[in-house]
Amino acid sequence: MESALWSGAWREQAVARLGQEWDIVIIGGGITGAGILLEASRRGLKALLVEQRDFAWGTSSRSSKLVHGGLRYVREGKLLLTRDSVQERQNLMREAAGLVDAQSFAFADYRGRKPGRWLFSLGLVIYDLMAGQRARHYYPADEFLMLAPHIGRNGLNGGLCYADAKTDDARLVLRVLQEAQSAGGVAINYMAARRLLRKDGKVGGVELDDAVGGDLHRISAKVVISATGAWADGLRGQQGAAPKLRPLRGSHLVLPAWRLPVAQAISLMHPSDGRPVFVFPWEGATLVGTTDVDHAADLRQEASITAEEVDYLMAALAYQFPQAQLTPDDILATYAGVRPVIDTGQSDPSKEGRDHAVWLEHGLLTVTGGKLTTFRLIALDALKHVAPLLPHWRDKLQRMPIFGPAPALPADVALTTQQRQRLQGRYGRHACALLAAAQPGELETIAGSETLWVELRWAARSEAVLHLEDLLLRRTRLGLLLRGGGAAILPRLRAICQPELGWSDARWESEQAAYLRLWQQHYSLPPDVQSKR
């Protein structure tokens, strides 16, 4: 599939190729699977990726949106992990500006609060040395309040500022997948791996269930890689392997930017347990996160925030921003993701390690855990482990640029510098074609977001949208940014996207009803919080 886009009859063409012999079949369409597909395809391997739901449906669209080196790893003495994360952060900011962008963080220093100025400063010294920069500064109270005017003032000594980065995690997955397809890889969503197939006692393929066509496909592959994150024990269980994962839920709140305006990201330690909580500007709104609790619910269902988690995050906001007097009525949306964490038996979930793990069991390679920031290093590690199973293939697995350069956009298009960079970062080589697709008025920004109307048209036309939730929760993030999941814009959205998708009126009505029901159940406030409003 030469095209880097999912356009026209892309799915039929991809399904027609399933019967060929594959070097690698990757199960899981999150950032880890996307990274493996890219690194395998560009190194000459015939690679297929399948995802049982939508691309980035799981953890990779529900993260805290941070591309960071991990200050917590400095405190834990994991300096090599911190170094790798910081270097990868710098690479992504350079190669995908507009998709991965710098974000300044402010940490207030209060009398009697941990970790205190000097301990925190020591960690930042190491952080900056690894990045080859000096991005930390300490400000006295009066100057710090100019940077973070809404924080509490009682006992404020001053504050530290340091640099990290943020992204749109689902769009990062999409761009990596598109780069992989341009290198010859194949990626298909709504194609579930139901059963591992064995040959000579080892995994030699997989049986796929096509949620669109309804057909079963038996796929032969030299190597099968499970990059299914928190869901990895499911396939491992088919091998008789004991569970190793401890699913942990991280939940978030999205607030209107006007209700809690922050130019800096604010980092604080929660008053009840000392866990870090972040508040930062994201896509035209303000994002608050995160919790870290055991997730006992069925992994086949969407994760949702609980009333206890809402209370926990609201308590952090009241502690850090007492003058704002925020209430649950201010919340636009919520979302929750399940982290794939290796279970070591810690009583405190936050003390479980976040390193990635690779297990080769009877021909099935499982790769799970790790950080969004280091997806490229995780992919290279996975390929290193499967190299002995591919005797015809040799590669030094050296790091290459992740993204190709994005072309300059037409100078006569009325866009701000920030909008130009944003489109180039998100759409890469396809940004010019996206602009060419715009109809009158579609280069305007959708109120309450940084999204242009034409991005909806482009996603519907060229980005494998099979359900309305794909469009509003992952190709764009309007379902998180607009009140009611964007219900107010659905008439105009329909006028733009229904012809591009080729859906009948009945199909559109069905999709819209399903999306609004899904949003109410999993992206709104929990019912017991709503009943108190």
Side-chain angles (χ1 to χ4, degrees):
M1 187 182 295
E2 174 63 25
S3 172
L5 292 173
W6 297 277
S7 56
W10 73 271
R11 206 171 196 284
E12 293 84 351
Q13 295 167 8
V15 169
R17 296 179 58 185
L18 290 177
Q20 69 184 51
E21 174 92 15
W22 298 93
D23 293 317
I24 293 179
V25 170
I26 303 152
I27 304 168
I31 191 62
T32 299
I36 296 170
L37 182 68
L38 173 58
E39 296 298 338
S41 301
R42 68 184 359 170
R43 297 168 197 276
L45 293 172
K46 293 168 63 177
L48 166 70
L49 178 146
V50 294
E51 162 58 46
Q52 67 174 339
R53 304 288 285 263
D54 186 28
F55 302 125
W57 177 86
T59 312
S60 293
S61 63
R62 306 163 193 262
S63 76
S64 292
K65 322 304 183 195
L66 297 177
V67 177
H68 59 96
L71 273 172
R72 63 173 287 182
Y73 302 127
V74 175
R75 186 175 69 248
E76 295 169 359
K78 297 178 179 179
L79 299 185
L80 292 179
L81 178 58
T82 306
R83 181 201 63 188
D84 288 343
S85 299
V86 167
Q87 291 177 354
E88 288 299 287
R89 179 195 71 189
Q90 297 301 106
N91 290 336
L92 287 166
M93 290 172 62
R94 182 174 57 253
E95 295 178 21
L99 175 58
V100 181
D101 294 318
Q103 176 62 61
S104 177
F105 276 74
F107 185 87
D109 174 26
Y110 290 94
R111 285 191 297 275
R113 286 195 199 175
K114 295 181 179 181
R117 172 182 177 179
W118 301 113
L119 183 59
F120 201 73
S121 294
L122 177 61
L124 289 176
V125 168
I126 299 171
Y127 209 51
D128 281 353
L129 284 173
M130 291 178 174
Q133 63 183 14
R134 189 185 190 286
R136 68 192 185 280
H137 300 280
Y138 187 88
Y139 297 93
D142 56 344
E143 294 182 28
F144 190 75
L145 283 169
M146 295 177 66
L147 297 171
H150 303 285
I151 65 169
R153 302 184 178 212
N154 291 337
L156 181 66
N157 293 324
L160 282 155
C161 287
Y162 63 99
D164 247 320
K166 63 184 176 182
T167 190
D168 179 337
D169 47 2
R171 289 303 320 181
L172 180 62
V173 172
L174 261 290
R175 180 138 188 228
V176 173
L177 286 174
Q178 290 176 346
E179 291 286 332
Q181 291 197 152
S182 70
V186 177
I188 311 177
N189 54 353
Y190 294 97
M191 183 73 72
R194 294 300 183 205
R195 187 166 61 92
L196 298 172
L197 303 177
R198 288 170 176 76
K199 183 178 181 181
D200 300 326
K202 292 186 177 182
V203 174
V206 63
E207 184 178 81
L208 302 177
D209 184 358
D210 185 351
V212 176
D215 298 320
L216 292 178
H217 304 272
R218 293 173 63 88
I219 306 302
S220 177
K222 297 181 177 70
V223 174
V224 176
I225 298 178
S226 170
T228 52
W231 294 260
D233 278 338
L235 284 172
R236 293 183 61 252
Q238 293 187 24
Q239 302 271 76
K244 289 189 176 183
L245 296 180
R246 180 179 183 176
L248 299 180
R249 185 175 63 252
S251 297
H252 305 75
L253 309 176
V254 184
L255 283 77
W258 67 267
R259 191 64 185 86
L260 185 59
V262 286
Q264 308 281 326
I266 308 296
S267 175
L268 67 139
M269 299 302 180
H270 198 283
S272 68
D273 59 10
R275 284 195 64 258
V277 176
F278 301 108
V279 180
F280 62 97
W282 181 75
E283 289 297 302
T286 298
L287 186 62
V288 182
T290 177
T291 61
D292 201 20
V293 298
D294 285 300
H295 182 72
D298 188 342
L299 286 173
R300 291 172 295 181
Q301 303 299 319
E302 300 245 3
S304 305
I305 197 169
T306 63
E308 292 75 18
E309 289 173 292
V310 173
D311 291 343
Y312 178 89
L313 294 174
M314 292 300 292
L317 292 175
Y319 178 68
Q320 188 70 64
F321 305 97
Q323 296 174 330
Q325 297 184 334
L326 297 164
T327 73
D329 288 333
D330 295 310
I331 297 170
L332 290 173
T334 69
Y335 70 91
V338 183
R339 304 183 183 102
V341 176
I342 313 305
D343 189 357
T344 62
Q346 295 280 351
S347 58
D348 182 353
S350 296
K351 292 183 179 179
E352 296 282 18
R354 270 29 178 201
D355 305 46
H356 80 277
V358 178
W359 305 305
L360 183 58
E361 300 163 311
H362 308 293
L364 173 70
L365 186 92
T366 300
V367 53
T368 190
K371 293 161 53 63
L372 177 73
T373 312
T374 55
F375 73 88
R376 185 248 299 267
L377 302 184
I378 296 171
L380 293 177
D381 191 32
L383 291 179
K384 180 184 74 175
H385 279 81
V386 300
L389 304 179
L390 298 166
H392 69 290
W393 177 69
R394 294 286 183 275
D395 195 282
K396 295 181 180 179
L397 295 176
Q398 295 176 330
R399 301 184 195 183
M400 306 178 188
I402 298 173
F403 301 112
L409 301 184
D412 59 348
V413 178
L415 296 172
T416 67
T417 300
Q418 181 181 2
Q419 286 173 328
R420 288 174 176 273
Q421 188 173 75
R422 182 178 184 278
L423 292 177
Q424 287 177 310
R426 286 165 172 263
Y427 300 97
R429 71 191 72 189
H430 307 297
C432 291
L434 177 148
L435 289 176
Q439 299 295 313
E442 291 183 2
L443 293 181
E444 297 173 359
T445 302
I446 299 172
S449 76
E450 297 175 354
T451 305
L452 305 180
W453 286 101
V454 69
E455 293 181 68
L456 290 166
R457 181 179 297 281
W458 182 255
R461 178 183 297 182
S462 304
E463 293 191 334
V465 170
L466 296 182
H467 296 288
L468 188 56
E469 64 167 280
D470 305 339
L471 181 65
L472 285 167
L473 293 174
R474 288 172 290 276
R475 303 303 182 273
T476 70
R477 315 314 297 273
L478 296 172
L480 301 179
L481 299 170
L482 305 182
R483 194 168 292 279
I489 70 164
L490 287 177
R492 183 174 178 186
L493 185 150
R494 179 177 185 171
I496 293 172
C497 297
Q498 185 177 351
E500 298 285 356
L501 292 165
W503 290 354
S504 67
D505 288 344
R507 170 73 184 276
W508 184 275
E509 295 291 343
S510 173
E511 289 284 344
Q512 180 171 297
Y515 165 71
L516 293 174
R517 185 167 56 249
L518 173 75
W519 188 91
Q520 189 64 42
Q521 291 173 347
H522 299 287
Y523 295 88
S524 178
L525 288 169
D528 40 358
V529 175
Q530 293 188 41
S531 64
K532 298 177 184 178
R533 295 164 67 184

